Amino acid sequence: MSFYRIIDHTADLGIEVSGNTPEDVLARAAEALFDLLAERDGIREAESRVIRVDGEDPADLLVNFLRECLYLYSGEGFLIRTARVRIGEKTTLEAELRGEPYDPGRHRIRMEIKAVTWHCASLEEMPGGPAGWKGRVIFDV
């Protein structure tokens, strides 16, 4: 069973991720982004990067976080295998991202993801039932 669900969208690609905490959702969203982007099983946790991100609200924090993660690949050629997120204030976070530099001889890219959009973006606590959080975001592909 996958840790994220693909959302039908006319021209782009969306995901929905759930978790026990907002930190879980943010970490899984980063891992889902790189699962769509590359064959994640082939990515080793050889290096780590620490990033800090701010947002106006939880949805903005999710989008800004994923934008920074995507920049690590598109700007620096770094592929993420796992993410660990700690939220400081409600709209700031620090994340440790583990992975390795892209190696065309070892890594297979599945698709190009051009951008993370605010369209339909959300990060919210699920109402009723057991506690849980859900995040949703659309990628420009």
Side-chain angles (χ1 to χ4, degrees):
M1 182 171 165
S2 181
F3 58 96
Y4 64 93
R5 184 174 75 85
I6 293 178
I7 301 168
D8 287 334
H9 193 272
T10 308
D12 295 320
L13 177 69
I15 60 167
E16 189 172 271
V17 181
S18 58
N20 293 329
T21 65
E23 289 89 347
D24 289 344
V25 172
L26 288 157
R28 289 178 178 167
E31 293 168 4
L33 168 62
F34 279 81
D35 192 56
L36 292 167
L37 187 84
E39 286 187 358
R40 206 168 134 255
D41 289 343
I43 303 170
R44 297 179 297 197
E45 296 183 47
E47 298 178 18
S48 70
R49 306 282 170 91
V50 175
I51 62 171
R52 291 168 188 81
V53 178
D54 296 320
E56 298 277 322
D57 56 45
D60 191 46
L61 186 63
L62 173 64
V63 170
N64 290 343
F65 172 57
L66 293 177
R67 284 181 163 184
E68 288 295 320
C69 291
L70 184 58
Y71 173 77
L72 285 177
Y73 172 68
S74 61
E76 300 180 20
F78 187 76
L79 294 170
I80 295 170
R81 168 86 180 163
T82 60
R84 195 167 34 187
V85 174
R86 186 178 65 79
I87 295 178
E89 300 296 321
K90 281 193 166 197
T91 55
T92 63
L93 69 78
E94 181 176 289
E96 179 188 13
L97 307 166
R98 298 200 57 87
E100 66 179 331
Y102 171 65
D103 177 349
R106 290 192 41 250
H107 300 118
R108 184 173 157 256
I109 300 301
R110 291 180 165 161
M111 71 170 55
E112 180 184 3
I113 296 177
K114 297 176 189 168
V116 181
T117 75
W118 274 283
H119 179 66
C120 297
S122 65
L123 175 60
E124 57 195 14
E125 191 168 15
M126 291 187 279
W133 287 75
K134 184 170 26 176
R136 172 184 276 240
V137 69
I138 305 292
F139 301 121
D140 180 11
V141 294

